[in-house]
Amino acid sequence: ENRENMRNLKPDKILRPTQYVEKILVTAILDGTYACGAALPNERSLAEQLGVTRPTLRETLQRLAAEGWLTIHHGKPTVVNDYWQQGGLRLLGTLSKYSTYLPNGFITHLLEVRLTMLPSVAGRAARIQPEILLNCLAEARNLAEDAKAFSDFDWKLQMLMARNSQNPVFSLILNDFAQIFANMATHYFNLKAARQASRTFYRELTRAIKNHADTVEDVVKKAMEQSVSIWKEVKPG
């Protein structure tokens, strides 16, 4: 049925043809229309189904293959990869565009990655540029009780930590999480408990940076563990 629906799709007037093809193929992979290991229709048939030219389709297939979504076998069918195992950081950037189709548990996995990474990033930044972090944290005192305000501030703080850690790779990783985080954080910060937990975190982090820089990693780790727990209560699985 899903494949029949694909045959009836017409190019989205808002999207460029390559963007349209990407959207259809990635969402079809994520929703299981094309499962891992499945072969795509041949190029001519797929281009006809999508209503695009073969060069447009080929360009998109090659880019998705470079990200790890697909493996192109010349003279043989293009196959859907186990993208969790074969994809790279660029795949995250594409994945973030289609948060509606994210598999169950993905956000929890993402938060667990943040739990692993952010404490050490924060510790480095607090040792190298404490005043920059403190100036940012001072803004938290005036945060409105608004989910978007918290989401924007929390992302700003994380990016400041990454950019002042003297390791540019941290910023590259977080940049790929940006859209997913924005979508998730709005739901998360709609909870009063989440906003209260973050206010407590910002106060404790401020004190740690000022008085006990060696405890910054522990403060951040504790806050990240709490955020995972809160999210699991809201979105089980």
Side-chain angles (χ1 to χ4, degrees):
E1 181 180 353
N2 285 335
R3 296 192 187 199
E4 183 63 35
N5 289 339
M6 287 180 64
R7 294 188 184 97
N8 297 326
L9 289 169
K10 300 299 181 183
D12 191 316
K13 294 181 180 179
I14 298 175
L15 299 176
R16 295 196 302 272
T18 54
Q19 293 173 321
Y20 164 76
V21 174
E22 174 194 278
K23 178 179 179 180
I24 297 303
L25 292 181
V26 170
T27 56
I29 292 170
L30 292 174
D31 71 13
T33 299
Y34 293 125
C36 296
L40 297 185
N42 66 56
E43 189 177 278
R44 182 185 300 276
S45 297
L46 188 55
E48 290 177 356
Q49 288 178 25
L50 299 177
V52 297
T53 65
R54 291 177 69 180
T56 292
L57 174 63
R58 192 176 301 125
E59 177 185 343
T60 308
L61 291 176
Q62 289 172 346
R63 183 165 53 77
L64 292 179
E67 292 180 5
W69 294 98
L70 307 167
T71 295
I72 297 174
H73 300 285
H74 295 290
K76 297 180 179 180
T78 294
V79 175
V80 177
N81 290 337
D82 180 350
Y83 50 91
W84 293 123
Q85 301 300 321
Q86 296 171 263
L89 286 179
R90 286 187 295 172
L91 185 146
L92 278 176
T94 299
L95 190 63
S96 71
K97 302 175 191 175
Y98 309 107
S99 57
T100 304
Y101 300 89
L102 292 176
N104 290 337
F106 176 78
I107 296 299
T108 299
H109 296 325
L110 181 61
L111 290 174
E112 288 170 349
V113 170
R114 189 178 70 153
L115 167 60
T116 301
M117 183 179 76
L118 201 60
S120 62
V121 173
R124 290 169 60 96
R127 290 190 296 272
I128 297 166
Q129 294 287 3
E131 291 304 319
I132 290 177
L133 297 188
L134 289 173
N135 288 338
C136 178
L137 286 163
E139 300 173 15
R141 293 193 294 267
N142 300 317
L143 272 179
E145 283 296 313
D146 174 77
K148 188 176 188 307
F150 269 82
S151 175
D152 291 347
F153 177 80
D154 208 68
W155 183 250
K156 176 182 177 180
L157 177 61
Q158 290 180 68
M159 288 306 302
L160 275 178
M161 290 174 176
R163 289 169 181 165
N164 289 282
S165 68
Q166 290 190 345
N167 186 332
V169 176
F170 289 135
S171 294
L172 295 178
I173 294 171
L174 282 182
N175 283 336
D176 273 336
F177 291 163
Q179 188 57 55
I180 298 175
F181 180 87
N183 294 337
M184 176 272 292
T186 301
H187 296 292
Y188 177 78
F189 284 118
N190 272 326
L191 294 172
K192 184 177 181 180
R195 298 194 300 273
Q196 289 176 333
S198 290
R199 286 193 189 277
T200 299
F201 165 52
Y202 302 146
R203 289 194 298 268
E204 291 180 351
L205 181 57
T206 298
R207 285 196 294 268
I209 294 172
K210 286 182 176 179
N211 304 315
H212 304 285
D214 58 328
T215 67
V216 166
E217 290 191 29
D218 289 337
V219 169
V220 175
K221 181 179 179 182
K222 176 183 173 183
M224 297 302 100
E225 288 173 340
Q226 188 176 20
S227 71
V228 173
S229 297
I230 291 172
W231 181 260
K232 284 181 177 178
E233 291 176 5
V234 180
K235 299 284 186 181

